[in-house]
């Protein structure tokens, strides 16, 4: 996760980064369970979804709204939202009766890249792009 630019000092970015760490750890546990044939893979998928769904909701209803209003990062935000939809589409519609683990593993790879793009691209860019009043709105000030 990003530690070099100082963007974590912004409360919402700090919160989202901490959540990214928890999501990445949960995804790692799920990957390990899938590849080792662990019986707990479905429970670990549920654990991941419990972290992922509120996280992406916070991004899309908070930070992404402000970034779209500012305008300079709209294309990046749209791409990230499409990635959310893709990842949720795979993980959220998982067929427990006939698990398609290769598809889940591919979605976990996309999730890892997605988190990396937010941590090292969007979050630092947001700190530069958004004016202070936007950050005040995001923190409820």
């Amino acid at each position: 996760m990003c530690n070099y630019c100082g963007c974590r000092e912004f409360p919402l970015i700090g919160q989202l980064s901490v959540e990214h760490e928890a999501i990445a750890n949960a995804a790692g546990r799920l990957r390990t369970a899938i590849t080792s044939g662990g019986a707990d893979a479905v429970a670990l998928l549920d654990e991941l979804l419990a972290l992922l769904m509120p996280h992406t909701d916070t991004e899309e209803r908070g930070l992404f709204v402000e970034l779209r209003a500012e305008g300079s990062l709209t294309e990046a935000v749209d791409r990230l939202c499409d990635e959310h939809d893709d990842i949720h589409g795979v993980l959220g519609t998982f067929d427990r009766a006939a698990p398609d683990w290769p598809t889940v593993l591919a979605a976990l790879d996309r999730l890892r890249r997605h988190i990396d793009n937010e941590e090292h691209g969007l979050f630092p860019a947001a700190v530069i792009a958004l004016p202070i009043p936007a950050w005040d709105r995001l923190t409820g000030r």
Side-chain angles (χ1 to χ4, degrees):
M1 301 303 144
C2 176
N3 289 313
Y4 59 85
C5 72
C7 63
R8 283 184 166 201
E9 298 303 316
F10 286 72
L12 179 60
I13 300 294
Q15 171 195 331
L16 293 172
S17 291
V18 167
E19 291 172 4
H20 277 163
E21 289 179 20
I23 290 165
N25 290 336
R29 289 189 297 276
L30 175 57
R31 174 178 293 290
T32 299
I34 292 168
T35 57
S36 68
D40 59 344
V42 172
L44 291 169
L45 176 60
D46 290 339
E47 177 187 318
L48 174 60
L49 286 169
L51 296 169
L52 187 61
M53 301 307 276
H55 170 83
T56 55
D57 187 63
T58 298
E59 287 179 337
E60 290 183 11
R61 293 178 186 256
L63 181 61
F64 290 5
V65 169
E66 291 293 343
L67 288 169
R68 279 192 174 110
E70 186 277 330
S72 67
L73 296 170
T74 301
E75 186 175 311
V77 168
D78 289 344
R79 182 178 39 77
L80 292 167
C81 286
D82 288 345
E83 292 173 6
H84 285 170
D85 292 344
D86 169 53
I87 294 163
H88 291 176
V90 171
L91 302 180
T93 60
F94 177 75
D95 184 354
R96 293 163 190 275
D100 182 0
W101 293 122
T103 300
V104 170
L105 289 170
L108 294 178
D109 288 340
R110 292 191 302 277
L111 176 59
R112 182 181 36 79
R113 286 190 303 272
H114 174 87
I115 289 171
D116 186 62
N117 287 336
E118 287 183 346
E119 287 287 326
H120 298 102
L122 186 74
F123 290 175
V127 169
I128 294 166
L130 290 179
I132 295 301
W135 291 108
D136 289 344
R137 285 189 296 277
L138 288 168
T139 58
R141 291 185 198 169

